[in-house]
Structures are given as C-alpha cells and as structure tokens.
Amino acid sequence: LGDVYKRQTLESKFNTYANSITACITPVDGVFDGLKLEGKSWGDAFHYGILEGLLVWPISAMLYYFAAGMHSLGVGGIILSIFFVTLIVRGVLMLLTLKQTMSQTRMQELQPELEALQAKYPHAQDNQYEKQALAQEQMKLYKKYKINPFGMIITLVLQFIIFIPVWGAMQGSAILRDGDLFGLRLSAQTGNSILNWSGWASGVALILFIVMALAQAVGMFLPQFLQKRRAKKNGKAPKTAMMSQQAKTMKITQIVMFCMILFTGFMLPVAMAIYWTIAAIITLCQSLIVQLIVAKHSDKKKFAKYKTK
C-alpha cells in the first residue's frame, strides 16, 4: 500500500506540474528552461482547432524564428521578436479593418452635419416621431457618403477574434520560457508576479504594468481629446439632450473598456503585457495620423468653399 500511495503521489505531483506548463508550443524540438519539448508542425496544430492552426501556431512560430535569429541579443532578441510579431499582427489587422477605418474617418468629417440633424430634432430622445425622422435622415446621410455606421463594431469583433489567438501564442510559446527581463520571466503572469512580491522581479512587473496602463490610456483617450479640441476650435452646432446622452454613453463605454483592459492585462503573461504596450503605441500613432489626414482634408474643403465665394 505504501508503494501504491507513493506512486499515486508522484503521479499527482507530475500531473500538477505538467498541467502548470502552458508554454510548450515550438515548431522544432528543443530544450527550453531545462524542459525537453517535441516540435509540432503547422498541420499538427489544426488537430487542436481552426484558430490554433490559422493563428496560434503561426504566431508562436514567428516568435520562435525571430527570437532564434536574434539569439545573440539574449532577452533583447526575444523582446524584439515580440515587437516584430506585434507589428505584423497589427499590420494585418489594419488591412482587414481598412474599410471600417476609412468609414470612421468619414464619420468624423460628417460630425457637423450629424450634429446639425440632431439639433433639428432636439426632442428625438423622448419624441418617437422625431426619433424615427432623425434615424431616417442619418441613414440617408450614411448612404450618400458610403459610410457603415456599424464599422466600429466590426473592428472590435475582429480585434477580439485576433486577441484570443495572440494570447494563446504568447502564453504557449516555448521560446518565452528561456527569456527573463531583469529576473522577471516573460511567461510569468503579471498579476502573480506583483502580488507575490519577490523583490526586483516583482518591481519590474509593476513598472511594466504601469507603462502598459499609461500607453493604453493615452492611446484610448488622447485621440478623442484632440478631436473635441478641434471641434471646439472650429465651432459646433448647439448641443442637444440626445447628443449629451450619446457623449456620456461613449465616455462610460471607454472607461469600462479601459478597466477591462487593465484587469485582463493583470491576469496575462508578461510577454502579453509587452505586446499590449507596443500595440497601444502603434494604435496611437495610427489614430494621430488619421486625425491629421482628417484635419488637412477638412481644411482643404473649407478653403475650396471660401475660394468659390
């Protein structure tokens, strides 16, 4: 009985250890942090699911090959591999949502006309007739300028669909087991590293989390601030109760999303926190470029209108 109990205890400990290892995706055989892993092909990944084959394995493979190619840089090469993978993923996402992004850009240009319509029907929030009339005129305006009012929802859905495989790839990439940032393992959970304070490594996790939070906050709120500042500078239609409610709803939505990002980032691996920080900076740059294009386009339209008078 003693031998059976010992064997069961060892099996239980081994199973617990094996289940705790999630960073085990590698395209080639190798030893990672003392653990020997067997490489899996792209075809093998499809046995686990469509998303695993289409996105999780390719992203993990890119992480491996980029990091292996920059092996001489140590952990810097692994962080650079995360950077390059982030650029590629965000680039693909930008291509997939280009139409929706342009639609949102035209939506910003139409903001004065939309506000004028809302001012035309100041009681649309309470009056059913005005509400229907406003909705019809808005749809006509969208159709005229070929704008999809649901473009933002489509973009968010695509971002979520891609986020899950990226999360799985970052958490499962075996090459990240060999990387640590000032003693903080890249495959470690950010929140656990902070809560289970262990000195310098936990401090690095806390700093990284704060940087990620700041990058997300700036990337999310700065474009809206600049847009409001520009609208205020150019003058706008009188603000109706419906417009105030829409602005309030948008603000609450952004705050809720920001809190969800912080909570999720706290639960994700360190590598994913780095990914989100880089992604937030890229998104901010994209938003600022779009704002600049919109501003220049609007100025040209104003100049043309002035010139024809």
Side-chain angles (χ1 to χ4, degrees):
L1 291 176
D3 292 338
V4 172
Y5 176 76
K6 288 180 180 179
R7 185 171 66 251
Q8 290 177 344
T9 302
L10 288 174
E11 287 179 355
S12 177
K13 289 182 178 180
F14 177 79
N15 290 333
T16 301
Y17 171 71
N19 291 330
S20 67
I21 299 173
T22 57
C24 56
I25 305 175
T26 172
V28 298
D29 297 346
V31 178
F32 304 90
D33 192 30
L35 186 67
K36 186 176 181 180
L37 295 175
E38 180 183 354
K40 299 295 182 182
S41 68
W42 195 0
D44 293 333
F46 282 97
H47 293 297
Y48 297 93
I50 297 297
L51 287 179
E52 281 77 3
L54 290 177
L55 293 171
V56 175
W57 190 93
I59 292 173
S60 295
M62 284 193 294
L63 282 170
Y64 174 84
Y65 288 118
F66 278 135
M70 296 179 287
H71 180 72
S72 60
L73 299 177
V75 69
I78 296 178
I79 294 177
L80 279 175
S81 71
I82 296 175
F83 173 75
F84 289 133
V85 169
T86 305
L87 284 179
I88 293 172
V89 171
R90 297 301 297 185
V92 171
L93 185 60
M94 285 172 61
L95 290 176
L96 292 175
T97 59
L98 181 60
K99 187 176 180 180
Q100 285 74 31
T101 302
M102 297 306 298
S103 180
Q104 293 170 31
T105 302
R106 289 195 295 270
M107 182 79 79
Q108 293 180 22
E109 295 179 0
L110 284 182
Q111 200 61 33
E113 295 184 52
L114 290 173
E115 291 176 351
L117 284 179
Q118 291 173 339
K120 183 180 177 181
Y121 300 99
H123 305 293
Q125 191 174 4
D126 304 315
N127 186 292
Q128 190 64 26
Y129 172 77
E130 286 197 6
K131 184 177 182 180
Q132 292 179 354
L134 174 61
Q136 289 177 357
E137 292 205 35
Q138 284 179 332
M139 291 307 297
K140 288 180 181 178
L141 197 61
Y142 294 149
K143 188 175 181 180
K144 177 182 177 182
Y145 290 97
K146 299 180 181 180
I147 291 176
N148 182 5
F150 303 105
M152 177 64 75
I153 297 176
I154 295 174
T155 300
L156 290 175
V157 170
L158 285 173
Q159 286 178 344
F160 180 76
I161 291 175
I162 291 179
F163 164 74
I164 298 300
V166 171
W167 178 10
M170 293 286 180
Q171 191 173 25
S173 179
I175 195 68
L176 297 183
R177 289 183 60 87
D178 284 340
D180 64 87
L181 185 64
F182 299 108
L184 176 65
R185 191 166 298 282
L186 296 179
S187 59
Q189 191 184 75
T190 306
N192 282 342
S193 300
I194 296 174
L195 295 177
N196 301 323
W197 195 266
S198 58
W200 180 247
S202 296
V204 174
L206 179 60
I207 293 172
L208 180 61
F209 179 76
I210 293 174
V211 171
M212 184 204 71
L214 290 175
Q216 289 290 338
V218 174
M220 185 176 293
F221 296 110
L222 182 59
Q224 282 74 20
F225 171 77
L226 294 176
Q227 183 179 349
K228 288 181 181 179
R229 183 180 177 184
R230 180 170 164 268
K232 186 176 180 181
K233 181 180 178 181
N234 295 336
K236 35 193 306 192
K239 204 169 188 179
T240 63
M242 185 176 182
M243 291 162 56
S244 300
Q245 183 61 36
Q246 288 177 345
K248 184 178 179 181
T249 302
M250 179 67 72
K251 187 175 182 179
I252 292 174
T253 302
Q254 287 181 328
I255 293 174
V256 171
M257 287 180 61
F258 178 67
C259 292
M260 288 179 61
I261 288 173
L262 290 185
F263 175 77
T264 308
F266 196 76
M267 305 299 293
L268 291 177
V270 173
M272 195 66 189
I274 296 174
Y275 166 84
W276 264 14
T277 302
I278 299 171
I281 295 173
I282 295 173
T283 302
L284 174 61
C285 293
Q286 179 186 353
S287 299
L288 293 177
I289 291 172
V290 170
Q291 291 286 337
L292 183 61
I293 293 173
V294 171
K296 286 187 176 182
H297 185 63
S298 299
D299 291 341
K300 286 182 179 179
K301 288 175 67 177
K302 287 180 182 179
F303 178 74
K305 184 177 179 181
Y306 173 79
K307 190 174 180 180
T308 56
K309 289 185 177 181

